[in-house]
Amino acid sequence: MKWHNPDTLMWLLALLPLLLLTGLMLKRRAQLLKRMADVALWNTMLPGLSPRRQRFKNLVRVLALALAIAALARPQWGFKWEEVKQRGLSIIVALDTSKSMLAQDIKPNRLQQAKWGVRDLVKELRGDRIGIVAFAGDAFLQCPATIDYAAFLMMLEDIYAGIVPIGGTDLYQALDTSIESFKKAEETQADKVIILISDGEGHSGDPLALLPALKQENIRVFAIGVGTKEGELIQTSDGFVKDKTGNVVKSSLDESVLERIALETGGFYVRSAPGDFGLERVYQQGIAELQREEREARMSKSWTERFQWFLGAALLLLLIETAIRPVNYNRERTQGTQKPTNRKSLRSLRSFAVTLLLLLPCVVKAEDTPRSSMRKGLKAYKRGDYTNAIEHLEKTALEFADIGNYNLGNAQYRAGDFETAADSYNEALRSTDVELQAKAYFNRGNALLARTTALTGQEQIGMAIELSFLAMDMYEKSMLLEPDDLAAKQNFERAQQLRLKLEHNLGKWYFDQAEELLPQFKAKDAQANYRLAKKQFRHIMENVAPEHPESKQYLPKIEERLEMLALAVEAAEIDLKTALQYITDYQYMLAAQRLTTETDERKYAFDLKPDLKKNYEETIQKNQDVLKIIQDLFPTTNMAK
């Protein structure tokens, strides 16, 4: 046996004070009667009165109330197994995990934005199977298509750049593995969808060769292009990614192949952008209208409702209670009193009818309504029980999208789930009530601002900046609706200061990285970080705080470092040119000295331009006279090898 209502025990315990109150009322009644007349006169004043009947009548009344409360709790026992069928699509998300997805032209990086977008997509699904294929230079099925969304999200979080050991980007393998996953699942009736998320920079395989197979299997491909056409450097924990020649790699978006695959399979292509990854558009404009199949998902227990028995017993006891008279009319007749009139019987009948009407809604449906769920949720919220508050208010939000989602967002915020709270406040903005809109904007700003506190790592600072910027926008919209709201003005200033601090910290982090790399003679990586720092600080001065002194003081230092690195390369090139002139003039000693000079600037130049170092070495090897002098004078130098 089980109870549907979790507050059953609380209601049953409430009977104890009810019984105590009934006893006190009876005692009080007896005391009042004693004040009116002596006990010896009671039989004369109230002929036929039976205290035992009165107590029995009260007991029956309390038992009826207890049974009615038990019926409201919806007792259930006995069950049968039923097939639960769901209708849905089959979706495979093919996610690019190559190192190019670490580029930060979309903050914090392309891969993290893609994972966030897929997580938001899952919230839209209703019975659709979804799986994931991770790919780079190869591909594998990370999670088969499933309706267990929790398991899918767990597998999604485990994906990282480098999870596929073979580097590069092979779109052919990504699509081929996705097609094979559908065949293994034996999906035939529902439409099949591949969501291909990549920057499009294919390095091997020809994905267009799979177009006939995709069309034959009736598989639609929706492509999401991640990144910008201008491109961005790829930064890892070991510095910037370089090619085989030592040059820093810059990754840019290649849309041509993605667009063609999507269009020729009946899907479409979307380019991601900050704040709009594109998956929401893919679902609403493409996936939502596709054909879904009916399939057996699982067997479920269906419990049998038994509240009718308790309610029937309660009604029976109430009927008995109306028939119990505290006066013994047989004794009245022996004492010459009259038989009761029909007027009292009519009053009893009316009392029973009113009781029946009050309990009739319980017979029809003994379960929570959206309004009762809201009351319970708000009570739980006031006493700090946010878990139960969320449970009740989620039911309310389905019926009342505006105030229901607003209250739900408040409970989620108090429970520390700021991300979900922000989504609930966003739903509440559908309201036509200006005052509620202003509150929803304000609270959504608070939720977005609170999320930034959890983003402490340097790799998450870009996301924190975006959230603080969105929070500022929310407070601005709240102030437009409620111009006199001082709290919104204060929080806007807080968000503005936080954004400035985060923007400055990002620039400072780039600068500190460069300062650490320079003594290690990693001049190319240092130069890239100096440039990123310069770009960030200029962004602050132009778009955030033009007179920000902390940012302003970094720009001269950065310009000095960049100029020093440029002069180091220029000096090395001049030294090489001078050495070649010495060789032409047979001044081999001077040439050897110029070619073997070891300074920090020379090391910076060689790291910045590996070809320059190669030219130095080739010059020494080609001139035996110079090489001999170097070997004699500098037997341990690298140039003499």
Side-chain angles (χ1 to χ4, degrees):
M1 178 176 176
K2 74 187 192 77
W3 301 87
H4 182 80
N5 193 328
D7 298 328
T8 302
L9 182 60
M10 182 183 71
W11 282 102
L12 293 178
L13 289 175
L15 286 173
L16 297 177
L18 182 63
L19 291 172
L20 179 61
L21 181 63
T22 303
L24 292 174
M25 291 176 63
L26 292 174
K27 185 177 180 180
R28 175 68 175 167
R29 182 172 179 272
Q31 289 174 348
L32 292 174
L33 287 172
K34 284 181 181 180
R35 291 180 185 178
M36 291 176 58
D38 189 77
V39 178
L41 298 176
W42 283 11
N43 288 333
T44 303
M45 297 177 63
L46 299 169
L49 179 66
S50 173
R52 180 182 296 176
R53 288 191 179 193
Q54 184 64 47
R55 287 194 295 270
F56 182 64
K57 183 181 181 72
N58 292 331
L59 177 62
V60 170
R61 188 179 298 162
V62 172
L63 287 175
L65 182 59
L67 288 170
I69 291 174
L72 286 172
R74 292 179 61 189
Q76 301 170 335
W77 66 81
F79 61 85
K80 59 182 179 179
W81 290 98
E82 292 183 347
E83 287 183 350
V84 178
K85 294 186 177 181
Q86 293 181 316
R87 295 178 60 84
L89 299 169
S90 290
I91 302 171
I92 290 293
V93 177
L95 181 57
D96 190 346
T97 62
S98 61
K99 287 187 177 180
S100 62
M101 292 293 284
L102 293 175
Q104 298 180 8
D105 44 5
I106 296 181
K107 301 293 183 182
N109 59 55
R110 297 173 181 177
L111 180 59
Q112 187 59 58
Q113 273 288 348
K115 290 168 67 173
W116 286 337
V118 174
R119 186 172 61 181
D120 290 339
L121 170 68
V122 172
K123 296 177 183 178
E124 303 289 337
L125 303 182
R126 298 292 183 271
D128 299 316
R129 292 181 183 270
I130 186 168
I132 190 163
V133 167
F135 72 94
D138 197 1
F140 69 91
L141 185 63
Q142 170 81 351
C143 176
T146 178
I147 57 173
D148 187 348
Y149 299 147
F152 172 84
L153 291 175
M154 188 183 304
M155 301 296 284
L156 175 66
E157 288 303 315
D158 289 340
I159 289 180
Y160 58 91
I163 191 173
V164 179
I166 302 176
T169 303
D170 193 335
L171 297 176
Y172 179 93
Q173 288 293 335
L175 294 172
D176 188 52
T177 304
S178 300
I179 294 170
E180 289 299 318
S181 71
F182 287 127
K183 292 179 179 178
K184 291 177 182 178
E186 297 181 352
E187 302 291 347
T188 55
Q189 298 179 16
D191 282 339
K192 295 178 276 290
V193 172
I194 295 175
I195 300 177
L196 180 60
I197 304 175
S198 175
D199 53 27
E201 286 190 320
H203 300 104
S204 59
D206 181 12
L208 299 178
L210 289 172
L211 284 175
L214 290 167
K215 294 176 181 178
Q216 182 179 354
E217 297 292 332
N218 193 28
I219 298 173
R220 298 172 188 257
V221 178
F222 295 90
I224 306 287
V226 190
T228 59
K229 288 189 174 182
E230 295 77 19
E232 185 60 88
L233 301 178
I234 306 169
Q235 187 172 9
T236 67
S237 57
D238 299 325
F240 290 96
V241 176
K242 303 176 183 178
D243 58 20
K244 294 180 180 179
T245 61
N247 294 318
V248 176
V249 175
K250 189 174 186 180
S251 173
S252 57
L253 175 62
D254 183 0
E255 300 178 300
S256 57
V257 175
L258 297 176
E259 283 180 325
R260 184 174 173 187
I261 293 173
L263 292 174
E264 293 202 19
T265 57
F268 56 80
Y269 168 79
V270 175
R271 183 194 298 176
S272 65
D276 180 17
F277 189 74
L279 278 172
E280 184 178 356
R281 277 183 286 163
V282 165
Y283 184 82
Q284 293 178 354
Q285 300 175 19
I287 297 177
E289 302 301 323
L290 297 181
Q291 175 188 348
R292 284 162 164 78
E293 70 165 356
E294 185 177 275
R295 53 169 156 263
E296 296 176 4
R298 57 188 175 88
M299 299 295 290
S300 175
K301 283 183 179 180
S302 176
W303 291 85
T304 305
E305 299 278 359
R306 305 294 185 183
F307 71 91
Q308 302 92 336
W309 296 8
F310 290 83
L311 191 58
L315 292 173
L316 180 61
L317 287 176
L318 287 174
L319 182 62
I320 294 172
E321 187 267 343
T322 59
I324 297 174
R325 299 185 178 88
V327 178
N328 188 338
Y329 293 110
N330 290 328
R331 290 182 60 188
E332 285 182 291
R333 281 197 295 271
T334 60
Q335 295 175 7
T337 57
Q338 294 182 350
K339 193 172 182 179
T341 63
N342 289 336
R343 200 172 284 177
K344 182 171 287 190
S345 299
L346 288 173
R347 282 200 301 269
S348 299
L349 185 59
R350 283 199 299 270
S351 176
F352 171 70
V354 170
T355 303
L356 182 62
L357 287 174
L358 288 174
L359 290 174
L360 188 59
C362 304
V363 181
V364 177
K365 194 170 186 180
E367 64 180 19
D368 290 340
T369 64
R371 293 187 183 276
S372 66
S373 293
M374 183 179 291
R375 287 194 296 271
K376 290 179 180 178
L378 293 176
K379 285 181 180 178
Y381 178 85
K382 288 179 180 178
R383 64 174 182 265
D385 184 4
Y386 303 121
T387 301
N388 277 328
I390 291 171
E391 181 180 345
H392 290 300
L393 293 173
E394 280 177 341
K395 302 173 186 176
T396 302
L398 297 174
E399 184 72 19
F400 307 108
D402 48 6
I403 187 65
N405 276 294
Y406 177 78
N407 290 331
L408 177 60
N410 289 341
Q412 291 164 336
Y413 183 93
R414 292 294 182 181
D417 189 356
F418 303 121
E419 183 175 1
T420 310
D423 293 338
S424 296
Y425 290 133
N426 194 45
E427 291 295 319
L429 291 172
R430 299 179 184 180
S431 174
T432 56
D433 184 347
V434 174
E435 184 179 356
L436 182 62
Q437 283 184 358
K439 291 180 178 178
Y441 277 125
F442 178 83
N443 284 3
R444 187 163 190 257
N446 289 344
L448 293 169
L449 211 57
R451 281 187 62 193
T452 62
T453 59
L455 303 174
T456 55
Q458 290 295 342
E459 68 280 359
Q460 297 176 310
I461 194 170
M463 184 61 184
I465 292 170
E466 291 291 334
L467 290 175
S468 62
F469 183 76
L470 286 173
M472 289 171 57
D473 183 52
M474 293 298 104
Y475 294 132
E476 277 188 318
K477 289 177 178 176
S478 178
M479 287 187 289
L480 286 174
L481 297 174
E482 295 287 345
D484 298 329
D485 189 351
L486 180 60
K489 294 177 182 178
Q490 292 173 339
N491 282 12
F492 174 82
E493 292 174 0
R494 283 181 53 218
Q496 192 175 40
Q497 291 298 321
L498 177 62
R499 181 195 173 192
L500 176 58
K501 180 181 177 181
L502 291 170
E503 295 269 17
H504 176 73
N505 287 346
L506 181 59
K508 184 176 179 298
W509 183 76
Y510 285 134
F511 181 82
D512 291 343
Q513 285 287 101
E515 293 287 271
E516 290 179 10
L517 291 167
L518 202 58
Q520 303 172 30
F521 302 107
K522 296 180 179 179
K524 184 175 285 188
D525 291 344
Q527 185 185 60
N529 274 285
Y530 282 130
R531 286 173 176 169
L532 289 171
K534 179 181 177 181
K535 179 181 177 182
Q536 181 64 24
F537 288 127
R538 278 190 173 175
H539 163 71
I540 293 172
M541 303 298 293
E542 294 171 3
N543 304 311
V544 184
E547 299 301 325
H548 190 235
E550 290 85 354
S551 298
K552 187 183 294 185
Q553 69 181 5
Y554 275 96
L555 289 172
K557 297 179 184 178
I558 295 171
E559 292 290 357
E560 182 183 341
R561 301 291 195 279
L562 290 173
E563 185 179 1
M564 181 269 293
L565 292 174
L567 290 174
V569 173
E570 184 179 345
E573 289 175 341
I574 292 172
D575 284 344
L576 178 60
K577 186 177 180 180
T578 303
L580 290 172
Q581 185 61 46
Y582 284 147
I583 293 171
T584 303
D585 296 338
Y586 305 105
Q587 299 180 28
Y588 300 122
M589 178 63 73
L590 293 175
Q593 290 175 345
R594 190 60 66 103
L595 290 170
T596 56
T597 299
E598 288 193 5
T599 62
D600 289 348
E601 287 74 12
R602 179 69 59 82
K603 294 177 182 178
Y604 297 153
F606 285 169
D607 188 67
L608 287 166
K609 294 191 71 173
D611 289 344
L612 187 59
K613 181 179 179 180
K614 185 178 179 181
N615 290 338
Y616 267 74
E617 293 173 345
E618 288 178 350
T619 300
I620 294 172
Q621 296 295 333
K622 289 178 180 178
N623 294 274
Q624 295 298 317
D625 294 327
V626 175
L627 178 60
K628 187 176 186 306
I629 292 172
I630 292 174
Q631 288 174 339
D632 291 339
L633 296 178
F634 313 104
T636 60
T637 183
N638 291 332
M639 290 294 185
K641 292 182 181 178

